[in-house]
């Protein structure tokens, strides 16, 4: 039985995510993607106009899935400390060797920023969507502190993105350990009533 359009397209995206998370964008050739996916070159161009457009679609799908998973972690965040399961999950996921393609943003951000404006913008928009979700969760606690919530959400994301990069560079969980401690402190302070 022949694979459907959606199945083949999704299969290519899954393979692309796996390979790019492991090796980056530039190091993964189209022939490598096609060989691993067992899809002919002509079929690839039926779904995607170029490797860049394919990679951009991989990134967009990655963020869609990530944001849905993030919603699950934040669904019961009734207090600022309720955000900790999200960051603990980040700690567990990024502290390993790119398990489940968690480090795709860390892996590709610096690499594609100068190669592809479309991919750069997808990374910018996806990262901003993550920050917006953090801000929304903080505002659920203290709705009158919108500017502070926006700043804290940005600080948290930057802290964790930087810690993930350093963890990858140093091959040590120490940057993530420090990020977890700092996050607990910031969220504890956020929880205190302001007078």
């Amino acid at each position: 039985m022949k694979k459907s359009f959606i199945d083949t397209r999704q299969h290519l995206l899954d393979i692309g995510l796996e390979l790019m998370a492991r090796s980056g964008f530039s190091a993964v050739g189209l022939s490598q993607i096609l060989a691993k996916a067992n899809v002919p070159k002509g079929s690839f161009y039926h779904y995607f106009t170029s490797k860049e457009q394919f990679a951009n679609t991989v990134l967009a799908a990655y963020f869609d899935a990530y944001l849905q998973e993030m919603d699950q972690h934040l669904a019961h965040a009734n207090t600022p400390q309720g955000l900790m399961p999200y960051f603990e999950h980040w700690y567990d996921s990024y502290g390993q060797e790119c398990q489940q393609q968690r480090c795709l943003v860390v892996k590709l951000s610096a690499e594609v920023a100068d190669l592809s404006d479309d991919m750069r913008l997808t990374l910018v928009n996806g990262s901003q969507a993550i920050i917006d979700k953090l801000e929304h969760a903080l505002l659920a606690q203290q709705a009158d502190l919108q500017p502070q919530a926006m700043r804290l959400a940005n600080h948290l994301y930057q802290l964790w993105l930087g810690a993930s990069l350093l963890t990858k560079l140093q091959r040590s969980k120490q940057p993530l350990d420090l990020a977890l401690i700092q996050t607990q402190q910031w969220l504890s302070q956020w929880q205190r009533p302001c007078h």
Side-chain angles (χ1 to χ4, degrees):
M1 185 175 186
K2 192 173 181 179
K3 288 183 180 178
S4 71
F5 174 85
I6 293 173
D7 290 343
T8 302
R9 184 178 185 276
Q10 187 59 52
H11 180 60
L12 283 164
L13 292 173
D14 293 342
I15 296 298
L17 175 60
E18 176 188 335
L19 294 175
M20 287 194 306
R22 187 179 319 131
S23 304
F25 171 71
S26 299
V28 175
L30 185 55
S31 58
Q32 185 182 1
I33 295 166
L34 296 173
K36 182 148 177 88
N38 196 23
V39 172
K41 192 172 187 177
S43 294
F44 176 88
Y45 288 108
H46 180 71
Y47 306 115
F48 307 102
T49 58
S50 65
K51 179 187 167 194
E52 180 183 339
Q53 193 250 337
F54 167 73
N56 197 40
T57 305
V58 168
L59 283 173
Y62 166 82
F63 277 114
D64 287 346
Y66 185 95
L67 292 167
Q68 287 178 12
E69 183 179 340
M70 190 177 179
D71 284 339
Q72 294 172 0
H73 288 288
L74 298 179
H76 304 292
N78 299 325
T79 67
Q81 290 301 100
L83 275 71
M84 285 309 299
Y86 166 70
F87 291 108
E88 289 164 355
H89 179 71
W90 188 325
Y91 177 92
D92 292 339
S93 299
Y94 281 75
Q96 301 169 13
E97 187 61 32
C98 288
Q99 291 294 317
Q100 302 169 345
Q101 294 81 39
R102 293 281 173 207
C103 57
L104 191 64
V105 174
V106 172
K107 173 78 84 178
L108 295 184
S109 291
E111 179 187 0
V112 303
D114 295 326
L115 294 178
S116 165
D117 210 41
D118 287 342
M119 291 172 68
R120 182 188 65 78
L121 290 173
T122 299
L123 285 162
V124 167
N125 293 334
S127 295
Q128 187 59 53
I130 293 169
I131 293 167
D132 290 346
K133 283 189 182 293
L134 291 172
E135 180 185 350
H136 179 75
L138 291 167
L139 286 173
Q141 316 309 316
Q142 297 189 34
D144 57 328
L145 296 178
Q146 199 276 330
Q148 294 92 329
M150 182 179 66
R151 280 196 298 276
L152 180 53
N154 273 284
H155 289 325
L156 285 167
Y157 186 69
Q158 291 168 10
L159 171 69
W160 281 87
L161 195 61
S164 298
L165 178 59
L166 289 173
T167 291
K168 186 168 180 56
L169 289 172
Q170 297 172 5
R171 295 188 180 164
S172 162
K173 286 184 93 168
Q174 185 182 20
L176 288 174
D177 291 336
L178 296 173
L180 197 62
I181 291 166
Q182 183 64 64
T183 299
Q184 289 168 333
Q185 289 175 353
W186 283 344
L187 293 178
S188 293
Q189 291 168 359
W190 183 260
Q191 196 166 16
R192 290 190 197 124
C194 298
H195 299 293

